[in-house]
Amino acid sequence: QVPLVESGGGSVQPGGSLQLSCAASDSVYISQHCRMSWHRQAPGKEREWVSTISGDGTTTYADSVKGRFAITSSQSHDGARGTLFLQMNDLQSEDTAVYYCSADRLLGGCHKDYYWGQGTQVTVSS
């Protein structure tokens, strides 16, 4: 079973917006005290980090998306993170990529990027 499942990708024109979602499968517990992140991989390029939300709610962004993308997450009632979101505005052709979410695993501490999803395609084209 894939631990994380992304959705919300699609095709959009330059200047458009999309919101990606990432949900954990029932067999995976993502603590609100650990990080979740978004990454992307464009055709012919290595995967790159896009954004992270930390356990204390701090958000960080790659320079290439700062001011255009926003990462948020909901909370469930049992202290786990709910769904992770990435609001992407003013999309440009260079944002075209497969977008992946990752999550730390809480085991003694937060093990960085332990869980991964299979990705969702975002295509920006006129």
Side-chain angles (χ1 to χ4, degrees):
Q1 190 176 18
V2 179
L4 302 174
V5 179
E6 302 96 339
S7 61
S11 295
V12 64
Q13 292 186 338
S17 298
L18 283 174
Q19 185 181 65
L20 305 183
S21 300
C22 171
S25 67
D26 291 342
S27 63
V28 172
Y29 178 86
I30 310 297
S31 171
Q32 63 179 314
H33 300 295
C34 292
R35 292 165 296 220
M36 291 191 77
S37 299
W38 287 98
H39 312 259
R40 66 186 182 186
Q41 186 166 19
K45 295 186 177 181
E46 293 189 352
R47 187 165 59 195
E48 65 173 354
W49 169 77
V50 173
S51 181
T52 294
I53 184 165
S54 299
D56 63 0
T58 301
T59 57
T60 52
Y61 301 91
D63 287 344
S64 59
V65 306
K66 201 173 293 183
R68 300 186 299 123
F69 289 13
I71 187 171
T72 57
S73 72
S74 61
Q75 269 185 242
S76 68
H77 63 282
D78 60 355
R81 283 199 188 276
T83 302
L84 180 73
F85 301 97
L86 185 68
Q87 177 65 42
M88 304 185 296
N89 299 323
D90 190 25
L91 284 161
Q92 303 299 319
S93 58
E94 53 265 34
D95 297 316
T96 295
V98 177
Y99 283 71
Y100 300 88
C101 64
S102 68
D104 294 354
R105 181 186 182 189
L106 181 62
L107 184 63
C110 293
H111 294 252
K112 189 173 183 292
D113 297 332
Y114 187 89
Y115 299 110
W116 287 84
Q118 291 187 321
T120 185
Q121 176 71 46
V122 171
T123 302
V124 185
S125 174
S126 55

